[in-house]
């Protein structure tokens, strides 16, 4: 074999960009999984990768993909694929000693992702009110708006305050309505678009997760962008989540996409804490009659089908929209007067119970190992 036919490491790396991370449109090179490439004078290729996932099938799929691509390259005489498989961080602690917290997000006890398979189901409204409701229940709550391209939390919380910085160049979240808040919307001008490519967006996400001084939280709510894209994968690789909550409406078109979101988190072995059905029904203010505008019972049926809890149903009402536009989440209202506020407080209670149960079970299993 003549030397000029032997592929260079650059050519090998370019070929590896055709290998996608299982379940995602993005490749293993852009995710930074490829750590080392070596090519011998005889054309033997050695590739070293690091994969963080609780799912043992993920490194196997990547191994097969890399092997298949490299074997087809002209000039390659042999292929050796070495994958270091790591579990993402560790299990969560269950006591109040910050030194024992193991969520991998500094200063946070439990990290919860709020996701939806599609836009328009009210995921950000649910995230905002869930954080406020947890705070009203006495928990130390924070909210990280990771919808990088469409941040809306500054409006929903009625603040334009800029986050500060520590001496170590960590973000200092602002505080509004009892919740510590960090959002791209607080870092840019209100009418400025966030025009960044995927890799830069994921770096923002990693920075927010790892370089923020949260100051000791019981719960950090992550408001994810809709869908199952790069940012979602970055989150599950960067933070050990207590679990994910899926937001949907009762209609079938939303439920189809909700299943995709559930499938994503199950693929990476993140617990599904439950489903929240938003816009469940509308109560006519004039006569009290209930209208199921987006269908009836879809969220409950889907929760039963998936074997996960239905954490609650949130009505479609004018007050929720009005409060969000005015920067005062509806969960701050009197639950005796506001059905939506009562729903969010009930959901927050159910969610906190689910997280603590999971954490206690995990701690028990760990002690028995």
């Amino acid at each position: 074999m003549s030397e000029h036919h032997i592929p260079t490491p650059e050519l090998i790396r370019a070929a590896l960009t055709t290998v996608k991370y299982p379940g995602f449109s993005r490749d293993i090179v852009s995710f930074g999984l490829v750590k080392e490439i070596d090519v011998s004078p005889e054309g033997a290729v050695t590739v070293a990768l690091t994969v963080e996932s609780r799912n043992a099938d993920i490194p196997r799929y990547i191994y097969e993909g890399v092997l298949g691509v490299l074997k087809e390259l002209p000039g390659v005489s042999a292929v050796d694929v070495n994958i270091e498989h790591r579990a993402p961080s560790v299990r969560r602690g269950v006591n109040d000693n910050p030194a024992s917290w193991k969520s991998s997000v500094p200063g946070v006890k439990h990290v919860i992702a709020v996701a939806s398979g599609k836009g328009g189901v009210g995921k950000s409204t649910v995230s905002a009110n869930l954080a406020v409701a947890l705070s009203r229940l006495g928990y130390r709550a924070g909210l990280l708006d990771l919808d990088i391209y469409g941040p809306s939390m500054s409006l929903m919380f009625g603040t334009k305050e800029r986050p500060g910085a520590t001496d170590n160049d960590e973000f200092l979240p602002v505080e509004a309505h009892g919740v510590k808040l960090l959002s791209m919307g607080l870092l840019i001008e209100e009418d400025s678009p966030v025009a960044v490519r995927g890799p830069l967006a994921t770096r923002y996400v990693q920075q927010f997760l790892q370089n923020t001084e949260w100051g000791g939280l019981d719960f950090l709510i992550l408001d994810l962008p809709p869908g199952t894209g790069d940012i979602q994968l970055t989150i599950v690789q960067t933070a050990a989540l207590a679990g994910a909550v899926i937001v949907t409406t009762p209609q079938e078109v939303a439920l189809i996409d909700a299943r995709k979101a559930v499938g994503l988190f199950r693929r990476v072995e993140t617990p599904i804490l439950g489903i929240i059905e938003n816009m469940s029904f509308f109560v006519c203010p004039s006569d009290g009659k209930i209208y199921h505008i987006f269908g009836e019972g879809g969220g409950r049926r889907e929760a039963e089908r998936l074997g996960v809890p239905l954490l609650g149903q949130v009505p479609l009402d004018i007050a929720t929209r009005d409060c969000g536009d005015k920067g005062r989440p509806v969960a701050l209202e009197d639950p005796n007067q506001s059905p939506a506020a009562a729903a969010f407080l009930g959901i927050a209670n159910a969610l906190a119970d689910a997280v603590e149960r999971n954490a206690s079970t995990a701690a028990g299993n760990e002690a028995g190992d």
Side-chain angles (χ1 to χ4, degrees):
M1 182 184 299
S2 60
E3 187 173 335
H4 70 275
H5 284 146
I6 295 174
T8 63
E10 291 74 21
L11 183 61
I12 298 294
R13 187 175 294 273
L16 293 178
T17 61
T18 65
V19 180
K20 307 298 183 187
Y21 193 100
F24 291 83
S25 60
R26 193 167 161 196
D27 65 87
I28 60 172
V29 174
S30 66
F31 269 125
L33 305 187
V34 180
K35 302 303 181 184
E36 189 176 342
I37 298 173
D38 184 67
V39 184
S40 76
E42 295 75 31
V45 177
T46 302
V47 178
L49 305 96
T50 299
V51 178
E52 290 192 7
S53 173
R54 293 185 182 86
N55 188 342
D57 288 334
I58 297 294
R60 177 171 60 82
Y61 292 143
I62 292 174
Y63 175 88
E64 293 171 352
V66 170
L67 197 63
V69 164
L70 296 186
K71 279 186 172 181
E72 296 299 317
L73 278 184
V76 174
S77 60
V79 179
D80 185 17
V81 181
N82 300 314
I83 296 182
E84 181 185 2
H85 181 202
R86 301 174 181 169
S89 292
V90 284
R91 295 185 177 107
R92 276 68 57 191
V94 293
N95 62 40
D96 285 324
N97 177 11
S100 74
W101 297 355
K102 302 178 181 180
S103 75
S104 82
V105 175
V108 177
K109 189 175 180 183
H110 302 299
V111 183
I112 299 170
V114 178
S116 65
K118 68 188 297 291
V121 298
K123 170 188 53 59
S124 293
T125 295
V126 168
S127 297
N129 283 284
L130 193 52
V132 168
L134 286 166
S135 176
R136 288 195 66 181
L137 292 174
Y139 295 103
R140 295 161 294 181
L143 176 60
L144 178 53
D145 182 0
L146 291 177
D147 195 345
I148 300 296
Y149 298 106
S152 57
M153 289 304 171
S154 57
L155 171 65
M156 290 188 179
F157 278 81
T159 180
K160 294 182 181 180
E161 182 183 349
R162 298 280 183 180
T166 68
D167 293 338
N168 297 322
D169 289 329
E170 295 177 313
F171 290 108
L172 277 173
V174 306
E175 188 157 344
H177 304 308
V179 173
K180 290 188 176 182
L181 174 66
L182 183 61
S183 169
M184 181 66 81
L186 297 172
L187 299 172
I188 60 174
E189 296 302 321
E190 190 172 339
D191 56 353
S192 297
V194 182
V196 297
R197 295 187 183 275
L200 185 55
T202 59
R203 281 201 290 273
Y204 279 129
V205 169
Q206 290 168 331
Q207 231 184 342
F208 288 155
L209 286 169
Q210 296 298 328
N211 298 317
T212 301
E213 175 52 67
W214 291 107
L217 297 179
D218 297 305
F219 293 99
L220 176 62
I221 302 297
L222 307 182
D223 180 38
L224 274 56
T228 54
D230 296 348
I231 288 177
Q232 283 82 352
L233 180 57
T234 299
I235 289 163
V236 298
Q237 288 187 321
T238 304
L241 301 176
V245 172
I246 310 301
V247 180
T248 186
T249 61
Q251 65 187 120
E252 184 60 28
V253 68
L255 293 168
I256 290 172
D257 291 316
R259 289 167 202 148
K260 296 175 185 176
V262 170
L264 161 67
F265 287 107
R266 283 185 166 169
R267 182 178 289 243
V268 295
E269 297 189 356
T270 296
I272 304 297
L273 297 170
I275 287 177
I276 297 174
E277 185 185 83
N278 194 28
M279 308 183 206
S280 294
F281 54 87
F282 172 73
V283 180
C284 182
S286 61
D287 59 10
K289 188 174 180 180
I290 293 176
Y291 295 89
H292 294 92
I293 296 173
F294 296 106
E296 183 178 1
R300 183 176 300 281
R301 289 191 298 272
E302 193 62 23
E304 291 172 353
R305 191 185 75 83
L306 295 169
V308 300
L310 177 67
L311 294 173
Q313 296 169 299
V314 182
L316 174 65
D317 69 0
I318 296 170
T320 302
R321 189 272 308 160
D322 192 43
C323 287
D325 287 348
K326 291 179 178 177
R328 180 180 167 83
V330 74
L332 292 165
E333 301 300 306
D334 182 352
N336 295 316
Q337 302 295 324
S338 168
F344 281 119
L345 286 168
I347 290 168
N349 247 325
L351 180 62
D353 288 346
V355 170
E356 291 295 346
R357 280 197 305 272
N358 282 6
S360 297
T361 300
N365 291 340
E366 192 172 54
D369 288 344

